[in-house]
Amino acid sequence: MQILDQDQTVHALPYSRLVPAVAQAARELSTGTIIAPERQVVTIDAASVLLSMPAIGSDISVTKLITVHANNAKHRLPAIQGEVVVFETATGRRLALLDGPTVTARRTAAMTLLGIETLARGQPASALLIGTGTQAVAHADALIDYFGVQRFWIAGRTLASAEALASALRQRHPGLTVQAMVAEALKQEVPETDVIIALTTSTTPVIPATISGDTLAIGVGAFKPNMAEFPPELLHARQIIVDDRDGAKHEAGDLIQANVDWTTVFGVGDVLSGKVPRPAAIPVFKTVGQAAWDLAAARVAIGV
């Protein structure tokens, strides 16, 4: 059995291979070829949960086990820890153990890339990232790697947090144009950009209600019913595409709170498989995560 640490898992999951693999998994989930029930959430304590996410494919299968301990900073440990167990479907033979947080970060960013590739007008040249955490870093790296994006706006709760990420990105990617701003300022003025990506755990909308018709807005961070990144006005004004419709109905707080008409909400796999036509106008894209995307990452990592 292969055991890949964090760095080895990163190198095993290049976006050039991961995005097509996630697209294939989305089609298979849409047609029922991949079986992936909703994730099980078990409370450990008031600030901690265990997440279990299985997915069964015809070739290989995975189970991702993640623990989230919100108070781990006082122990000098990461809040999110875990692993992805990969096994042969036909026999149960263990094939690999991958770093769970790395798989999550990269497959989540890959789904965003797929959403842009499928739903945007064209290849983006600029992006506004709302949020300054791990997913913001992963998404910036992914947009640079896959699309060659060279201009970013980083919106944080404070200017200091936005400046810190902007500085880190400039050091990682010399020549990058990055402007830091306070997220609150988006209520007055929104930069002209190709893509807006929210990567927060906010309980109030952070994506502006009014954006250009040429801008694709993507909500990544809100994954609980009490969270919301999209404003209701924007959700009711545009077609809504999600990564996983079943999961979104229980976890996408912004959609739930906006009382969207679920008969008009479709999964990106439905679009890719031809079940529904591609939206004529630019929609909004909401992701909540799915074990099928971990399965896609496992296929890439072990070369299936």
Side-chain angles (χ1 to χ4, degrees):
M1 181 175 72
Q2 301 179 58
I3 300 178
L4 280 64
D5 63 17
Q6 180 177 359
D7 290 339
Q8 291 169 325
T9 302
V10 168
H11 292 305
L13 298 175
Y15 288 111
S16 60
R17 294 175 54 211
L18 187 53
V19 174
V22 169
Q24 179 60 33
R27 286 189 288 267
E28 291 182 29
L29 186 67
S30 175
T31 58
T33 306
I34 288 177
I35 301 171
E38 292 179 38
R39 63 182 158 207
Q40 183 181 33
V41 181
V42 181
T43 299
I44 297 174
D45 56 42
S48 312
V49 294
L50 167 67
L51 307 177
S52 175
M53 302 174 64
I56 309 299
S58 59
D59 48 359
I60 64 170
S61 299
V62 300
T63 295
K64 184 167 71 177
L65 296 174
I66 293 289
T67 52
V68 183
H69 286 71
N71 297 327
N72 260 7
K74 65 183 181 182
H75 301 297
R76 297 184 180 180
L77 291 170
I80 301 175
Q81 302 172 80
E83 50 282 318
V84 175
V85 180
V86 187
F87 61 93
E88 188 177 61
T89 302
T91 66
R93 180 170 60 95
R94 270 42 178 180
L95 302 175
L97 188 69
L98 311 177
D99 182 71
T102 301
V103 169
T104 299
R106 292 185 76 83
R107 60 81 151 152
T108 302
M111 177 52 75
T112 295
L113 298 177
L114 176 62
I116 295 170
E117 195 169 66
T118 307
L119 305 171
R121 293 255 189 249
Q123 183 165 309
S126 61
L128 163 62
L129 304 184
I130 305 173
T132 58
T134 300
Q135 279 293 349
V137 175
H139 275 69
D141 288 342
L143 288 163
I144 294 165
D145 185 314
Y146 196 73
F147 289 122
V149 174
Q150 289 294 297
R151 181 167 180 77
F152 287 89
W153 286 266
I154 305 296
R157 280 187 295 181
T158 67
L159 186 59
S161 63
E163 287 282 12
L165 177 54
S167 176
L169 289 176
R170 293 188 200 103
Q171 291 181 16
R172 288 157 67 101
H173 306 280
L176 206 64
T177 300
V178 191
Q179 183 174 336
M181 61 186 299
V182 179
E184 190 71 16
L186 294 173
K187 293 180 179 179
Q188 282 73 49
E189 184 176 2
V190 183
E192 292 188 12
T193 183
D194 298 321
V195 184
I196 297 174
I197 307 173
L199 305 134
T200 75
T201 55
S202 179
T203 56
T204 58
V206 295
I207 297 173
T210 303
I211 60 176
S212 168
D214 293 326
T215 299
L216 174 64
I218 303 174
V220 177
F223 61 94
K224 293 182 180 179
N226 68 318
M227 296 178 179
E229 293 181 311
F230 280 110
E233 303 95 311
L234 186 59
L235 292 173
H236 290 298
R238 294 197 183 190
Q239 168 72 61
I240 302 171
I241 304 296
V242 298
D243 67 332
D244 174 38
R245 190 173 180 275
D246 289 340
K249 290 179 73 172
H250 295 94
E251 298 180 358
D254 20 30
L255 277 61
I256 295 168
Q257 293 173 40
N259 292 315
V260 302
D261 180 359
W262 288 100
T263 65
T264 65
V265 177
F266 300 103
V268 68
D270 297 330
V271 177
L272 293 170
S273 63
K275 282 188 175 182
V276 298
R278 291 176 186 261
I282 293 180
V284 295
F285 186 44
K286 172 63 186 175
T287 71
V288 292
Q290 228 285 347
W293 321 150
D294 300 315
L295 175 56
R299 284 171 169 169
V300 173
I302 68 172
V304 172

